[in-house]
């Protein structure tokens, strides 16, 4: 089995854990562990921490070490060195908004399960030629939404997409009803105001609602 095949098996397993992958922007390191615990308690164990803040990697490290049952990965991966930093912090998967030649070259040796982004059929086809069958569809709502994914599924039935971007409780089911969408990504399950207030009960409730979207 090639490293890409193994990576794709692993990312497929992550995407099968729950219908929603929380996409987190963590500004305060102290919030990382209780936030992740609330999400896992609500039934959302796969957690994507975006590399958009100075504490993102330390947040990944803390979640990986302290939150039982969490499958923590990094998002907003743009450079090959992001793979190295994420793996060193304890991440098990990585998500990118797109797929550059440098990332495609580095991913097989990264040790991480990689979910590359694709916004068009051409991008999806190019990644499929490299062996990737699990892709991130981003930014979903801005590029045609569930209708676009339904159309892509016709000529590319072997590909599966985690749709992210503009998705919330009100439209998540539109995506999850599609055969080529195992899950969606979204930030609505972890409102920043609730996290700053330490309202973990609210976040756990939102996670439970999201976990029940496909049941």
């Amino acid at each position: 089995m090639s490293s890409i095949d193994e990576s794709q098996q692993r990312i497929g397993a992550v995407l099968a854990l729950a219908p929603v992958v929380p996409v987190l922007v963590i500004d305060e390191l102290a919030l990382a562990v209780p936030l992740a615990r609330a999400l896992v308690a609500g039934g959302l164990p796969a957690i994507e921490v975006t590399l958009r803040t100075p504490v993102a990697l330390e947040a990944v490290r803390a979640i990986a070490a302290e939150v039982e049952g969490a499958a923590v990965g990094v998002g907003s991966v743009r450079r090959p060195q992001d793979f190295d930093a994420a793996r060193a912090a304890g991440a098990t998967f990585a998500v990118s908004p797109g797929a550059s030649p440098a990332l495609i070259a580095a991913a097989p040796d990264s040790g991480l399960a990689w979910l590359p982004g694709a916004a068009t059929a051409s991008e999806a086809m190019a990644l499929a030629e490299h062996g990737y069958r699990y892709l991130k569809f981003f930014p979903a709502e801005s590029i045609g939404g569930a209708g676009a994914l339904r159309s892509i599924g016709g000529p590319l039935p072997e590909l599966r997409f985690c749709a992210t971007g503009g998705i919330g409780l009100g439209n998540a089911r539109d995506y999850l009803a599609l055969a080529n969408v195992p899950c969606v990504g979204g930030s609505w399950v972890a409102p920043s105001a609730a996290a700053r207030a330490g309202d973990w009960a609210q976040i756990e409730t939102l996670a439970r609602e999201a976990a029940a979207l496909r049941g």
Side-chain angles (χ1 to χ4, degrees), residues 58-163:
E58 285 305 308
V60 170
R61 192 183 310 277
I63 294 169
E66 301 180 41
V67 183
E68 184 176 357
V72 62
V74 297
S76 301
V77 169
R78 297 172 52 197
R79 307 166 300 170
Q81 52 264 47
D82 292 336
F83 286 135
D84 298 331
R87 187 179 64 251
T92 58
F93 68 94
V95 184
S96 302
S100 69
L103 287 178
I104 292 172
D109 298 321
S110 70
L112 295 174
W114 184 40
L115 184 71
T120 66
S122 294
E123 292 173 4
M125 289 170 63
L127 285 162
E129 288 181 357
H130 287 280
Y132 293 96
R133 62 186 183 278
Y134 290 98
L135 309 175
K136 172 179 177 174
F137 187 66
F138 176 82
E141 280 292 283
S142 300
I143 55 176
L149 272 178
R150 183 182 298 106
S151 297
I152 287 175
L156 303 173
E158 74 279 12
L159 300 184
R160 297 293 179 267
F161 297 87
C162 175

